[in-house]
Amino acid sequence: MEDMIFYDRLQFAFTITFHYIFPQLTMGLSLIIVYFKWKYLRNNNEKYNNAAKFFMKIFAVNFTMGVVTGIPMEFQFGTNWAKFSELTGGIIGQTLAMEGMFSFFLESSFLALFIFGEKLMGQKLHFLTGFLVFLGSWASGWFILATNAWMQHPVGYEILENGKFVLENFSELFSNPWLLPAFLHNQMASVVTSSFVVASIGAFYIIRKKQVEYGKLFLKTGVIFGLISSLLVAFPTGDWNAKNVAKYQPATFAAMEGIFETEEAGAEIVLIGQPNMVEKKLDNKIAVPNILSFLTHQDWNQQIPGMDQFKEEELPDNIPALYYSYHIMVGLGTIFIGVMVLALFLLWRKKLYTFKPLLWFIMFLVPFPYIANITGWYTAELGRQPYLVYGLLKTSDGVSPTVSSGNTLFTLLGFVALYMLLGLLFLVLVGKTINEGPKLQKH
Amino acid sequence: MEIFWYIIIAFVLAVFFILDGYDFGTGIVHLFFAKKEKDKQVIAKSAGLFWDSNEVWLVAAGGMLFMAFPTFYASVFSGFYLPLILVLWLIIFRAIGLEFRNQFNYQMWKDIWDTSFGVSSLLLALFFGIALGNIIRGVNLGGVENGVSAYEGHYFFLPLWNSSFSPLTEHPGVIDWFTIIIGLIAVVTLTIHGANWVILKTNSSINLKLKGVIFKLNIALAILTFLSLSVWQIVNPNSLNNFVDKPYLLIFPLIYLTGLVGLFFIKKIKKDYVAFLLSTLLILGGITSSLASIFPVILPSINDLNESLTIYNTSTSDYGLSVAFIWGIIGLILLVIYAIIQKRLLGGKVDDMDYGH
């Protein structure tokens, strides 16, 4: 049984981590593509149209990868988490099925039209198809986060005698106080990822001295989108989310922030430190007093419960992993703001395109927004443990009763091998597209 | 409410098999009949343009099944664990085969992805048929061993096959001689369907030859259908009861028969879309007849201890079903509209289109 849950969790974590590389780019990138297309409609400069089509090509590869790695997610609810599906399907099935019907269809139908239909439709309709792709991809995020929000903070349900959750109030699923902050935070983080990708490709073209005209356009656009989104990720959306965790999952909040002991007169914010689970304290701690209380409650001296206030079984089951995920996310987020502020300053002083060190830095920074996004997702998911539905359904009660650990291990290994191949092909393909550059687009 | 949802899901599934069915079929045609590079390219293109918007029908069907009949979803997905994961991997291989073949102009690269596309299409068609075979044959629900259930009444686990390969034992596997027959029917049907699609969408030089292939395959299909009907009686003696009790259900086998008979005239059919419609009828009739034969059961139990899964004992609350019904209808109308817009705008033969990928 222990093995079984371990392999099931590992498999889900692995497949969803790999999957999440793709939608976080497509959601943000669709916004930037719509922006390019809109600029083209305004100023009729072919450059913007080519930019939109170039990024749509990268979008398409990512979308394909997102689809093929997304179908396993839906399947795994049934194959590996059958008990969970049986008990909660009546509720999260609503949001998941809506995702399929209202967003996935929109995105995939109009993506083909955007890519192949420019000559058939004229520019305004072509813009519209691009906009619908954007709408579809953001709606996708909305429904997925509605599903996740229900697992984090269940609302609108009723539990029957046989343990099944059934829906009692449909509209509560979407007015869940957890949903809107989580959605906005997630979408802004997606825009951060795609801004860095766009800026990084721009920096690459400038450094390589090919496609310089496009390089400048991409870098400028990436920096502007990147600064706005990385600020919005931190404030207000990140702040708003943290307050939600403090309110609805106080044990998670204490573990995330690394507060082992409750301080009577206000909690400090931990910048650096390693959780020591044996002695129940942080090693090598650097912290600023009272800030956490202020950020959470706008009161310097408000008490925040530490982990000592909760029973062992109420605390997340992997506190160090949760703590590090959260701190990596916050740390990287801070770095992104710094880099983008500097880049914008240089852009304003007209020195950005010639300041090589920063160009190189921006070019190689591109994996880090992905890491920040994924650790952010981990923070949410590890924080919810040991529950699948917070406070109501334990993770260990959600696995498939008939599937043995050997089967799960076998399929896990299969997924690892297959996804490594996919990842390699993906890099080759995107590398080739970037290398060819936007001018070679023939549609 | 359960019946409404059953019909909606059956409809979405049927659309999936009709739309993605031709993708599978083009893969099989591609594997066996396309020899020249130009044919291969144009056939891959005829599927590559549409596969992702076709595959979403599977995602939609899965999502709706999950919402409306969660107990069925949980039971079937964990019970058929291994074949379903294999299906996932095949879906991935097929998709990347289609997407990647024209990215580089090296012969070996193309050959690898052509094979990947063709073989996984073939195996997927076979697996989907086998799945249908399992659903009409039924499984040992609750994993009953010597009169005692090993799991809760609706859970089970099926190995890929057992030593006897027979559907008549207490513990049949996913693959046995009965499900293989149904699997072959699916392969032949989808090959016909795919060949019709290639004829409809391309000016490929093998189109004329394909009409001859369809004719031969149709003969094979008629024989297989007859064979499956006779052994179905052995596997499940009650398989015709529904049709005797409710004769109006015979409309479904009749749809299948129309397609089957119609396709014997394939060589004389002038309009390409008529032939495509006939193979559509084949798929539609085949799926609906199978479902109608066991209705309202959706997974028969082959032991006496545990009751079969029906649309009534696996559904969620009435409130959930009714709310979802409202958005479900709106969603469904939208889906049909998108599909029509897309297929109209990207209509015509794919060779004539300025398609750069």
Side-chain angles (χ1 to χ4, degrees), chain A residues 281-300:
Chain A
K281 70 178 187 64
L282 280 179
D283 293 335
N284 311 317
K285 180 167 76 172
I286 299 179
V288 188
N290 297 59
I291 298 281
L292 188 62
S293 292
F294 179 74
L295 287 178
T296 318
H297 297 290
Q298 281 72 49
D299 173 358
W300 298 99

Side-chain angles (χ1 to χ4, degrees), chain B residues 205-225:
Chain B
S205 59
I206 58 169
N207 280 1
L208 211 60
K209 188 176 131 200
L210 282 180
K211 286 203 170 188
V213 171
I214 293 173
F215 185 78
K216 284 180 203 150
L217 285 175
N218 205 40
I219 296 174
L221 184 61
I223 296 169
L224 279 169
T225 306

Side-chain angles (χ1 to χ4, degrees), chain A residues 8 11 57 60-61 63-65 67-69 71-102 104-106 108-113 115-117 119-121 160 164-171 400-404 407-415 418-419 421-422 425-426 428-429 432-433 436 442-443, chain B residues 5 8 12 48-68 70-82 84-93 95-96 99-100 102-104 109 113 151-152 154-157 313-317 319-325 327-335 338-339 341-342 345-346 353-357:
Chain A
D8 278 321
Q11 181 169 329
K57 200 165 185 183
V61 180
F63 181 73
T64 302
M65 298 292 287
V67 175
V68 298
T69 56
I71 297 174
M73 304 315 307
E74 185 184 4
F75 271 51
Q76 277 180 64
F77 281 122
T79 50
N80 295 32
W81 302 94
K83 213 58 215 174
F84 169 63
S85 300
E86 185 187 355
L87 297 177
T88 65
I91 293 178
I92 63 169
Q94 296 267 353
T95 44
L96 287 175
M98 287 178 92
E99 196 244 352
M101 291 200 107
F102 290 107
F104 199 22
F105 266 95
L106 194 64
S108 62
S109 307
F110 287 97
L111 176 61
L113 287 176
I115 294 177
F116 305 119
K119 283 180 191 160
L120 298 167
M121 297 185 295
L160 302 182
K164 284 188 192 177
F165 291 75
V166 292
L167 192 63
E168 203 184 41
N169 189 332
F170 178 73
S171 59
S400 299
T402 56
V403 178
S404 66
N407 284 313
T408 319
L409 179 61
F410 164 72
T411 56
L412 170 64
L413 294 175
F415 274 115
L418 186 57
Y419 281 10
L421 174 72
L422 275 183
L425 288 168
F426 170 75
V428 169
L429 220 59
K432 176 182 167 247
T433 310
E436 279 175 358
K442 281 183 234 137
H443 281 306
Chain B
W5 270 104
I8 291 180
V12 173
L49 214 51
F50 300 105
W51 76 264
D52 54 356
S53 47
N54 292 337
E55 212 123 277
V56 290
W57 289 85
L58 177 68
V59 178
M64 291 193 282
L65 206 57
F66 186 24
M67 184 279 300
T71 306
F72 176 73
Y73 190 82
S75 166
V76 163
F77 273 65
S78 61
F80 295 126
Y81 185 81
L82 291 172
L84 279 170
I85 301 276
L86 291 178
V87 162
L88 276 180
W89 294 346
L90 289 172
I91 287 178
I92 294 175
F93 268 112
I96 59 178
E99 292 290 319
F100 290 170
N102 286 331
Q103 297 286 352
F104 289 96
W109 172 271
W113 297 120
Y151 313 109
E152 286 170 71
H154 49 275
Y155 279 106
F156 65 97
F157 185 83
N313 65 15
T314 59
S315 64
T316 187
S317 68
Y319 173 73
L321 291 177
S322 336
V323 172
F325 189 68
W327 61 253
I329 293 296
I330 300 171
L332 217 54
I333 294 170
L334 283 174
L335 304 196
Y338 298 156
I341 293 178
Q342 195 204 23
L345 275 173
L346 300 177
M353 270 168 39
D354 187 14
Y355 163 99
H357 201 100

Side-chain angles (χ1 to χ4, degrees), chain B residues 1 10 17 28 39 41 44 47 59 76 103-104 132 136 140 149-150 180 197 213 231 237 243 272 281 289 305 324 330:
Chain B
M1 220 64 237
F17 282 111
I28 304 169
D39 291 339
Q41 202 169 345
V59 178
V76 163
Q103 297 286 352
F104 289 96
L132 190 63
I136 53 185
N140 188 348
S149 275
I180 284 185
W197 176 254
V213 171
V231 294
F243 295 107
D272 293 343
L281 290 182
S289 309
L305 218 57
I330 300 171

